[in-house]
Amino acid sequence: MQLAKKIAGLTVIAPASRPESEKWCREMGADFVVNHRNLKEDLGKMGHSQVNYILDFVHINAYWETVADIIKPQGHIVSITGSSDPLNLSLLKVKSVTFSWELMYTRSMFTTDDIDRQHEILNDIARLMDDGTLKTTLTTTLTGFTVEDMKKAHEMQESGKTIGKTVVLF
């Protein structure tokens, strides 16, 4: 959200279903917050029935048909999640929509020509964090790399109610 808002200058619409997650999204820079369970309806109510860009951090399969419906013609969809089932990309053809996967390890795994770019990206993010342009998404720190802390971290993630990032320190 922060990069889209502060760096790219985009209007950011974030999904959330609980008051505490809606509050966090707004603190992270969201201009609007919609309930992901009623995504299409909520977008329509706010006058944004279609959007130019969609970034998936959760589970693209769960929302694929909705995503294909709400993306504007010539829009761009990016996902960092895997797909448990094949995606019907033909839903995007008539709109000439671009779909991209993003994985931060692609450059190093395949020694791409722009392999140094990942180093530059991480340095840029560090600078933006250091100068206060971006805020950390870290919300929970568990101290001690123990079985109990690992179980607790997994339970938190599996609950579907965590906000931000959870870190287990050694």
Side-chain angles (χ1 to χ4, degrees):
M1 283 184 275
Q2 296 176 73
L3 290 172
K5 178 78 177 166
K6 294 180 178 183
I7 306 305
L10 299 174
T11 298
V12 175
I13 303 169
S17 62
R18 297 174 292 131
E20 58 272 26
S21 54
E22 179 178 342
K23 179 178 182 271
W24 188 79
C25 287
R26 292 190 189 284
E27 289 171 359
M28 290 291 116
D31 296 293
F32 301 99
V33 179
V34 294
N35 189 317
H36 62 88
R37 293 183 180 103
N38 306 312
L39 188 58
K40 186 175 177 180
E41 298 83 22
D42 283 3
L43 285 169
K45 287 177 189 174
M46 65 178 29
H48 293 281
S49 59
Q50 290 191 319
V51 296
N52 293 307
Y53 306 100
I54 296 173
L55 178 54
D56 164 57
F57 291 115
V58 181
H59 181 49
I60 195 70
N61 291 95
Y63 300 97
W64 183 247
E65 289 187 14
T66 301
V67 164
D69 189 33
I70 65 173
I71 191 71
K72 283 185 179 180
Q74 300 180 329
H76 196 129
I77 301 167
V78 176
S79 179
I80 66 166
T81 66
S83 176
S84 57
D85 296 311
L87 297 174
N88 181 2
L89 293 176
S90 65
L91 295 175
L92 308 180
K93 183 179 180 186
V94 71
K95 292 183 178 181
S96 298
V97 170
T98 301
F99 179 83
S100 302
W101 296 110
E102 178 57 39
L103 179 68
M104 73 179 286
Y105 303 110
T106 299
R107 289 178 173 93
S108 60
M109 287 171 60
F110 296 97
T111 317
T112 61
D113 291 340
D114 66 343
I115 193 167
D116 290 339
R117 182 67 185 120
Q118 194 64 40
H119 173 76
E120 296 165 9
I121 291 168
L122 292 173
N123 281 341
D124 289 344
I125 295 298
R127 181 182 46 76
L128 293 169
M129 295 294 294
D130 288 346
D131 73 14
T133 300
L134 300 179
K135 294 191 281 187
T136 182
T137 58
L138 174 64
T139 55
T140 305
T141 302
L142 302 175
T143 304
F145 194 70
T146 64
V147 171
E148 292 79 24
D149 281 343
M150 294 307 291
K151 283 182 181 178
K152 182 176 180 179
H154 275 277
E155 287 171 3
M156 291 169 61
Q157 294 302 308
E158 290 169 1
S159 76
K161 296 184 189 254
T162 57
I163 295 174
K165 299 296 176 204
T166 301
V167 171
V168 179
L169 295 177
F170 290 93

